[in-house]
Amino acid sequence: SMSGAVFKEKCVITGEPARYRDPTTGLPYANLAAFKILREKHQMGELEGLAANARNEDTSVAMDSTRDRPPEAEGSAANDEEDVVVGSEQLAALDRSLSLKRILENPEVAQKLRIVHSASNRHKALSEARKNPLVEEAVMCMLRAIGQSPDQTQ
């Protein structure tokens, strides 16, 4: 039943025990008001900090199949080619990257990355999206921020 907290996580908006998980972002939330704020921040590209906050409180943020991996897997490429496990330090670095924020403010880039995120074959979708110079710039910026050299992702 949904009568109480169903996750160990706290709501990324209110800090209350989370009762639900947003299927789009994978982030935990407590109620409808929090969900609306979460989605609004998602649309504005302002979720990186929230994801980092959720991680820093010893909670697990579901990022596709990366969820139940041991901590030593953080920061290294995951087994399937689509997912990279990003640790809390790397999320914080992404959150601090002003150049990345500037690129992600571009609606075209944000839309292309949303398409990649929702694609059934993300690897293929990302390869396609990277033909756009701004998307490629965003990818390079992300890789620099988390300390990966770009050639590790080809």
Side-chain angles (χ1 to χ4, degrees):
S1 88
M2 298 302 279
S3 60
V6 291
F7 307 109
K8 288 178 281 198
E9 292 109 315
K10 289 181 169 54
C11 171
V12 295
I13 303 299
T14 66
E16 298 166 12
R19 296 178 62 190
Y20 313 99
R21 183 180 302 287
D22 176 4
T24 300
T25 63
L27 295 173
Y29 65 95
N31 52 40
L32 182 59
F35 176 74
K36 287 179 177 174
I37 294 168
L38 182 61
R39 280 296 169 94
E40 190 175 290
K41 286 185 174 293
H42 176 65
Q43 291 295 318
M44 301 297 287
E46 297 173 354
L47 286 185
E48 301 86 358
L50 291 178
N53 291 344
R55 276 288 174 103
N56 290 340
E57 292 175 12
D58 287 332
T59 59
S60 60
V61 176
M63 290 189 185
D64 305 322
S65 64
T66 62
R67 183 148 180 238
D68 294 315
R69 293 230 173 85
E72 60 270 17
E74 284 198 12
S76 61
N79 290 339
D80 49 32
E81 63 184 6
E82 295 180 20
D83 295 336
V84 173
V85 181
V86 178
S88 55
E89 291 303 311
Q90 291 172 315
L91 281 172
L94 287 171
D95 192 43
R96 287 191 303 268
S97 173
L98 297 177
S99 50
L100 179 58
K101 286 179 180 170
R102 181 182 49 76
I103 298 165
L104 294 178
E105 283 170 1
N106 180 310
E108 183 187 359
V109 172
Q111 180 59 25
K112 289 190 179 300
L113 292 177
R114 276 194 287 276
I115 291 168
V116 170
H117 181 72
S118 60
S120 56
N121 183 339
R122 288 186 182 162
H123 191 74
K124 184 178 175 189
L126 182 59
S127 295
E128 191 61 34
R130 285 176 78 169
K131 293 176 183 174
N132 177 302
L134 289 172
V135 172
E136 180 62 14
E137 187 185 348
V139 169
M140 290 298 137
C141 195
M142 287 178 216
L143 292 172
R144 281 192 301 272
I146 65 170
Q148 293 267 53
S149 67
D151 56 285
Q152 288 176 294
T153 67
Q154 301 300 322

